[in-house]
Amino acid sequence: MTAIHILNGPNLNLLGTREPELYGSDTLADIEAACRIRANAHGQDLTFRQTNSEGQLVTWIQEARGTADALILNAAAYTHSSVAILDALKMFDGLKIELHLTNPHQREAFRHTSFVSPAANGVIAGFGAAGYTLALDAVAAKLG
Ligand code: DQA
């Protein structure tokens, strides 16, 4: 069974009420529920987590070594600032997918830089909540 860790960064706990015109009306719990249905359909073992803390994300990425086959990461604002997250990702040997609800390249210039992308096998961005289940589909396509 393919083990997948979906990690979510800062402010994603407020999805549903946070700038819904940008991020949509689904809560993170709604997204997790949709992911669990899709993961079951693919026969994937899913861990789904959120934190507002950069260090916690680094710790969870480290934990994924040896326990996860794939990592799906929406690092949120830390995408654009965190060398620590990039360094941690480099030590994870499994499939790495960078995920965003919005398309950062359509937004402010400071969102055009990603410290996650250099370590990611692929990027899914701009499809709103659907991007999460698309990322699970992508893992199934790559790893079965
Ligand atoms: C985000 C995009 C980031 O630029 C932003 O800081 C977020 C969310 C997204 O999912 O679209 O918090 O990662």
Side-chain angles (χ1 to χ4, degrees), residues 61 64-66 68-71 88-96 121:
I61 294 165
R65 299 167 76 221
D69 302 297
L71 201 53
L89 285 170
K90 283 180 175 169
M91 292 184 286
F92 176 76
D93 286 335
L95 185 67
K96 289 166 270 197
N121 298 96

mmCIF file of all heavy atoms in Angstrom, residues 61 64-66 68-71 88-96 121:
data_model
loop_
_atom_site.group_PDB
_atom_site.id
_atom_site.type_symbol
_atom_site.label_atom_id
_atom_site.label_comp_id
_atom_site.label_asym_id
_atom_site.label_seq_id
_atom_site.Cartn_x
_atom_site.Cartn_y
_atom_site.Cartn_z
ATOM 1 N N ILE A 61 8.544 16.561 7.670
ATOM 2 C CA ILE A 61 9.226 16.124 6.436
ATOM 3 C C ILE A 61 10.308 15.107 6.792
ATOM 4 O O ILE A 61 10.466 14.082 6.129
ATOM 5 C CB ILE A 61 9.797 17.341 5.670
ATOM 6 C CG1 ILE A 61 8.661 18.225 5.148
ATOM 7 C CG2 ILE A 61 10.680 16.869 4.506
ATOM 8 C CD1 ILE A 61 9.108 19.611 4.697
ATOM 9 N N ALA A 64 8.821 11.760 7.461
ATOM 10 C CA ALA A 64 8.334 11.061 6.264
ATOM 11 C C ALA A 64 9.404 10.134 5.685
ATOM 12 O O ALA A 64 9.081 9.165 4.992
ATOM 13 C CB ALA A 64 7.886 12.072 5.210
ATOM 14 N N ARG A 65 10.682 10.433 6.002
ATOM 15 C CA ARG A 65 11.765 9.558 5.537
ATOM 16 C C ARG A 65 11.578 8.181 6.146
ATOM 17 O O ARG A 65 11.484 8.040 7.351
ATOM 18 C CB ARG A 65 13.130 10.113 5.953
ATOM 19 C CG ARG A 65 13.407 11.479 5.372
ATOM 20 C CD ARG A 65 14.605 12.123 6.041
ATOM 21 N NE ARG A 65 15.843 11.544 5.574
ATOM 22 C CZ ARG A 65 16.877 11.261 6.348
ATOM 23 N NH1 ARG A 65 16.825 11.477 7.641
ATOM 24 N NH2 ARG A 65 17.968 10.746 5.830
ATOM 25 N N GLY A 66 11.482 7.172 5.290
ATOM 26 C CA GLY A 66 11.347 5.816 5.816
ATOM 27 C C GLY A 66 9.915 5.414 6.151
ATOM 28 O O GLY A 66 9.654 4.241 6.373
ATOM 29 N N ALA A 68 7.007 7.250 4.466
ATOM 30 C CA ALA A 68 6.100 7.641 3.377
ATOM 31 C C ALA A 68 6.752 7.349 2.025
ATOM 32 O O ALA A 68 7.968 7.488 1.857
ATOM 33 C CB ALA A 68 5.760 9.122 3.477
ATOM 34 N N ASP A 69 5.914 6.958 1.065
ATOM 35 C CA ASP A 69 6.380 6.792 -0.317
ATOM 36 C C ASP A 69 6.282 8.104 -1.086
ATOM 37 O O ASP A 69 7.004 8.310 -2.060
ATOM 38 C CB ASP A 69 5.522 5.742 -1.033
ATOM 39 C CG ASP A 69 5.563 4.404 -0.324
ATOM 40 O OD1 ASP A 69 6.659 3.829 -0.256
ATOM 41 O OD2 ASP A 69 4.514 3.951 0.177
ATOM 42 N N ALA A 70 5.355 8.956 -0.667
ATOM 43 C CA ALA A 70 5.140 10.230 -1.364
ATOM 44 C C ALA A 70 4.758 11.313 -0.359
ATOM 45 O O ALA A 70 4.093 11.056 0.650
ATOM 46 C CB ALA A 70 4.037 10.094 -2.409
ATOM 47 N N LEU A 71 5.193 12.515 -0.687
ATOM 48 C CA LEU A 71 4.910 13.682 0.140
ATOM 49 C C LEU A 71 4.207 14.714 -0.736
ATOM 50 O O LEU A 71 4.703 15.039 -1.824
ATOM 51 C CB LEU A 71 6.252 14.242 0.611
ATOM 52 C CG LEU A 71 6.369 15.126 1.830
ATOM 53 C CD1 LEU A 71 5.729 14.486 3.042
ATOM 54 C CD2 LEU A 71 7.852 15.385 2.092
ATOM 55 N N ALA A 88 15.187 20.094 4.112
ATOM 56 C CA ALA A 88 14.541 18.872 4.607
ATOM 57 C C ALA A 88 14.010 18.046 3.437
ATOM 58 O O ALA A 88 14.159 16.810 3.409
ATOM 59 C CB ALA A 88 13.408 19.226 5.574
ATOM 60 N N LEU A 89 13.412 18.706 2.460
ATOM 61 C CA LEU A 89 12.851 17.986 1.309
ATOM 62 C C LEU A 89 13.935 17.239 0.542
ATOM 63 O O LEU A 89 13.697 16.145 0.015
ATOM 64 C CB LEU A 89 12.143 18.965 0.366
ATOM 65 C CG LEU A 89 10.786 19.480 0.827
ATOM 66 C CD1 LEU A 89 10.320 20.613 -0.089
ATOM 67 C CD2 LEU A 89 9.749 18.353 0.840
ATOM 68 N N LYS A 90 15.131 17.829 0.467
ATOM 69 C CA LYS A 90 16.219 17.192 -0.284
ATOM 70 C C LYS A 90 16.584 15.835 0.309
ATOM 71 O O LYS A 90 17.153 14.989 -0.372
ATOM 72 C CB LYS A 90 17.451 18.097 -0.303
ATOM 73 C CG LYS A 90 17.325 19.249 -1.282
ATOM 74 C CD LYS A 90 18.581 20.089 -1.239
ATOM 75 C CE LYS A 90 18.559 21.176 -2.288
ATOM 76 N NZ LYS A 90 19.651 22.148 -2.059
ATOM 77 N N MET A 91 16.277 15.638 1.600
ATOM 78 C CA MET A 91 16.640 14.365 2.249
ATOM 79 C C MET A 91 15.527 13.332 2.166
ATOM 80 O O MET A 91 15.690 12.206 2.633
ATOM 81 C CB MET A 91 17.007 14.624 3.712
ATOM 82 C CG MET A 91 18.288 15.410 3.852
ATOM 83 S SD MET A 91 18.782 15.606 5.559
ATOM 84 C CE MET A 91 17.597 16.832 6.123
ATOM 85 N N PHE A 92 14.385 13.702 1.579
ATOM 86 C CA PHE A 92 13.289 12.737 1.400
ATOM 87 C C PHE A 92 13.400 12.158 -0.003
ATOM 88 O O PHE A 92 13.325 12.896 -0.999
ATOM 89 C CB PHE A 92 11.939 13.428 1.614
ATOM 90 C CG PHE A 92 10.769 12.513 1.349
ATOM 91 C CD1 PHE A 92 10.410 11.545 2.280
ATOM 92 C CD2 PHE A 92 10.039 12.599 0.171
ATOM 93 C CE1 PHE A 92 9.349 10.684 2.033
ATOM 94 C CE2 PHE A 92 8.969 11.743 -0.082
ATOM 95 C CZ PHE A 92 8.627 10.785 0.849
ATOM 96 N N ASP A 93 13.551 10.837 -0.069
ATOM 97 C CA ASP A 93 13.840 10.199 -1.362
ATOM 98 C C ASP A 93 12.600 9.832 -2.169
ATOM 99 O O ASP A 93 12.731 9.446 -3.327
ATOM 100 C CB ASP A 93 14.667 8.918 -1.141
ATOM 101 C CG ASP A 93 16.103 9.252 -0.790
ATOM 102 O OD1 ASP A 93 16.563 10.342 -1.174
ATOM 103 O OD2 ASP A 93 16.754 8.412 -0.128
ATOM 104 N N GLY A 94 11.419 9.909 -1.576
ATOM 105 C CA GLY A 94 10.198 9.518 -2.285
ATOM 106 C C GLY A 94 9.721 10.586 -3.252
ATOM 107 O O GLY A 94 10.420 11.581 -3.521
ATOM 108 N N LEU A 95 8.511 10.370 -3.770
ATOM 109 C CA LEU A 95 7.907 11.317 -4.713
ATOM 110 C C LEU A 95 7.459 12.572 -3.960
ATOM 111 O O LEU A 95 6.809 12.475 -2.918
ATOM 112 C CB LEU A 95 6.698 10.638 -5.375
ATOM 113 C CG LEU A 95 5.988 11.404 -6.479
ATOM 114 C CD1 LEU A 95 6.896 11.547 -7.698
ATOM 115 C CD2 LEU A 95 4.702 10.669 -6.876
ATOM 116 N N LYS A 96 7.804 13.726 -4.499
ATOM 117 C CA LYS A 96 7.467 14.997 -3.832
ATOM 118 C C LYS A 96 6.631 15.863 -4.770
ATOM 119 O O LYS A 96 7.069 16.168 -5.878
ATOM 120 C CB LYS A 96 8.747 15.756 -3.452
ATOM 121 C CG LYS A 96 9.500 15.115 -2.315
ATOM 122 C CD LYS A 96 10.906 15.655 -2.187
ATOM 123 C CE LYS A 96 11.872 14.851 -3.024
ATOM 124 N NZ LYS A 96 13.279 15.037 -2.656
ATOM 125 N N ASN A 121 9.219 16.864 -7.515
ATOM 126 C CA ASN A 121 9.109 16.172 -8.808
ATOM 127 C C ASN A 121 8.091 16.840 -9.703
ATOM 128 O O ASN A 121 8.210 16.809 -10.926
ATOM 129 C CB ASN A 121 8.697 14.713 -8.584
ATOM 130 C CG ASN A 121 9.712 13.949 -7.780
ATOM 131 O OD1 ASN A 121 9.577 13.823 -6.568
ATOM 132 N ND2 ASN A 121 10.750 13.477 -8.420
#
